[in-house]
Amino acid sequence: MSTSNPDQLDAAIDQVAARMVAVGDDGEMSLRIVSALPERTSRLRWLIPQFAAIGALVIAAFLWTTRNDSAPETAMLPSSAGTSVIALASPVAANEPGTALRTMPLERLEGLERMEPTVSAENVDHERSLPAIAAMRSLAFDSLAPVSLPEDAPLTLEPLAIADLPLTADGFSPR
Amino acid sequence: MSLAELTLPMLTMAAADEAAADPEVVRLVSLARTGDRAAFGRLIERHLTAARRVALAAVGQPSDADEAVQEASVAAWRRLDGLNDPNAFRGWFLRIVWRKAIDRRRSLRSWFDRFSSTIGDDERPIEFAASDATPDQILISRELATAIAQVVRSLPRKLRDPFLLAASGDHRYEDIATMLGTPLGTVKWRIAEARRMIRIKLDHLGHGDPR
């Protein structure tokens, strides 16, 4: 059949296209779908192991970053051959009552304490102070008489050579 | 199928938001989220026909379409917590159906390509019973119907998919655009282009005269 009317041809195309996607009634399909549904698990249930792993990592990272603050006695330097850094610092801190043992960066302590301990007569650091300078020995000459001079090494004095001093105005700086 | 869908399916665009303000849908979704299978079954049943048409538009065979709908239903059941707005269940579910059907179509194509089958994936005969013709319908011959069906099947998939989805009468152009992941203007152009190509090919076959 030849359809000369364009509107009729369009309608025929629509009918055939609609028939191509037409479905018959299947009243039991929804029942089949429901019966085939698996056990529904919570959306968060499969995330529990992942949350647990993340939590363990966070706790480990926290313990790692705060291990010096929580247990300073056990902190060891590998190059110190068993010598505790804190053990070396402790006598110094004990001798300086006003000095806190620094375990944190200075930038974080600037607002809390002084950069250097106050120097007073009571807390002078004798261990760090320089040794006392020995008193100067006085110059002692027995005698300046010619007879007291050694004979094998006669004293000779070179003549002093004094250059002419520039006493002109050009020789002085303007200042 | 209703008479209106048969006569002017392109103009019988069902409102996609027909369940937009339906408190029953919200209630069923809430029940289904708690694991109520019967509630989920009632939800699926509301949109089962539209879902089967969507799948049929993609795969062409009713048996494959039903299997795609079944897979999509299981997927929707598992992902129900991901549905933010219960009122949007219809569009959300139909998009899952479309994706499952497309996956099935790709696997079917690879299977047919592998075994060099001469049977196409959607060569379903279009049956027109005599009782289908009513005074309000355009009477078309079996020969013309077969020719139209063949021409529609020969369309490129980019044109055929939106054309058949629109022909189902279940979706607005906006819904088709969302389902296909294509801009609205592109969908409209493709539907119009599909119709133009059908008319040209029918003219070559001796049916009608294209405008």
Side-chain angles (χ1 to χ4, degrees):
Chain A
M1 181 181 95
S2 177
T3 306
S4 58
N5 188 343
D7 293 334
Q8 290 184 354
L9 184 59
D10 274 339
I13 292 171
D14 290 339
Q15 285 186 36
V16 172
R19 184 54 64 102
M20 290 178 72
V21 291
V23 294
D25 291 334
D26 189 350
E28 296 181 353
M29 185 171 181
S30 60
L31 297 177
R32 290 199 305 271
I33 290 174
V34 170
S35 63
L37 291 178
E39 284 295 328
R40 188 163 178 274
T41 57
S42 172
R43 190 185 186 187
L44 296 178
R45 180 170 295 179
W46 67 276
L47 289 175
I48 289 176
Q50 301 180 29
F51 281 138
I54 292 173
L57 287 176
V58 169
I59 292 173
F62 177 76
L63 293 177
W64 178 262
T65 54
T66 60
R67 66 191 189 285
N68 286 336
D69 297 337
S70 59
E73 300 82 15
T74 59
M76 304 287 288
L77 281 179
S79 61
S80 61
T83 304
S84 172
V85 175
I86 303 302
L88 289 175
S90 296
V92 177
N95 290 334
E96 299 177 3
T99 304
L101 181 62
R102 299 187 191 280
T103 58
M104 297 179 66
L106 287 177
E107 294 78 13
R108 299 176 59 182
L109 298 174
E110 282 177 348
L112 301 176
E113 63 178 24
R114 298 164 62 98
M115 293 293 292
E116 293 296 335
T118 304
V119 178
S120 63
E122 298 176 352
N123 57 0
V124 173
D125 188 358
H126 296 287
E127 293 184 4
R128 295 184 182 178
S129 61
L130 296 174
I133 301 175
M136 293 182 61
R137 289 181 301 174
S138 60
L139 294 174
F141 297 98
D142 295 338
S143 175
L144 294 178
V147 293
S148 62
L149 296 175
E151 294 180 356
D152 52 349
L155 179 62
T156 57
L157 296 177
E158 292 182 1
L160 295 175
I162 300 173
D164 292 338
L165 295 176
L167 297 178
T168 60
D170 297 335
F172 291 98
S173 170
R175 294 182 179 179
Chain B
M1 179 176 292
S2 67
L3 178 62
E5 286 175 326
L6 278 175
T7 50
L8 289 174
M10 294 298 186
L11 301 179
T12 317
M13 299 299 174
D17 53 352
E18 62 181 354
D22 193 349
E24 180 67 9
V25 173
V26 178
R27 190 182 71 85
L28 290 175
V29 169
S30 300
L31 288 174
R33 279 176 171 165
T34 63
D36 190 336
R37 294 169 182 242
F40 185 76
R42 286 198 292 276
L43 266 178
I44 295 296
E45 195 170 7
R46 281 169 161 250
H47 312 294
L48 190 57
T49 302
R52 294 175 70 200
R53 286 178 182 166
V54 164
L56 188 57
V59 297
Q61 288 288 347
S63 59
D64 293 329
D66 287 351
E67 290 187 17
V69 170
Q70 181 128 1
E71 291 176 7
S73 301
V74 173
W77 169 254
R78 284 176 171 156
R79 303 178 201 163
L80 200 55
D81 286 332
L83 176 62
N84 296 325
D85 182 11
N87 288 317
F89 177 82
R90 174 189 166 88
W92 176 77
F93 175 60
L94 292 182
R95 280 193 292 276
I96 295 176
V97 171
W98 177 255
R99 291 194 200 107
K100 289 292 182 184
I102 291 298
D103 291 343
R104 193 163 192 85
R105 180 168 77 184
R106 286 174 181 150
S107 63
L108 288 172
R109 286 183 64 188
S110 62
W111 189 89
F112 279 113
D113 291 344
R114 191 183 310 159
F115 292 97
S116 302
S117 173
T118 56
I119 302 174
D121 58 346
D122 52 1
E123 292 196 7
R124 183 170 62 110
I126 303 297
E127 298 176 356
F128 283 87
S131 59
D132 286 344
T134 65
D136 293 333
Q137 290 182 248
I138 304 299
L139 293 176
I140 57 176
S141 68
R142 184 177 300 273
E143 180 189 4
L144 176 59
T146 304
I148 292 173
Q150 288 177 348
V151 168
V152 170
R153 286 174 185 143
S154 68
L155 287 175
R157 295 185 188 278
K158 285 188 176 180
L159 299 182
R160 193 180 67 180
D161 287 344
F163 179 77
L164 287 180
L165 286 173
S168 70
D170 292 326
H171 319 287
R172 299 177 304 176
Y173 287 151
E174 290 84 355
D175 303 327
I176 296 171
T178 304
M179 205 179 303
L180 300 180
T182 309
L184 176 60
T186 304
V187 167
K188 290 180 178 178
W189 180 87
R190 286 179 180 176
I191 292 174
E193 181 67 11
R195 183 178 295 277
R196 190 182 70 84
M197 289 186 66
I198 291 170
R199 295 179 62 86
I200 290 175
K201 291 185 177 182
L202 286 176
D203 183 56
H204 289 321
L205 294 174
H207 299 282
D209 52 346
R211 280 179 262 192

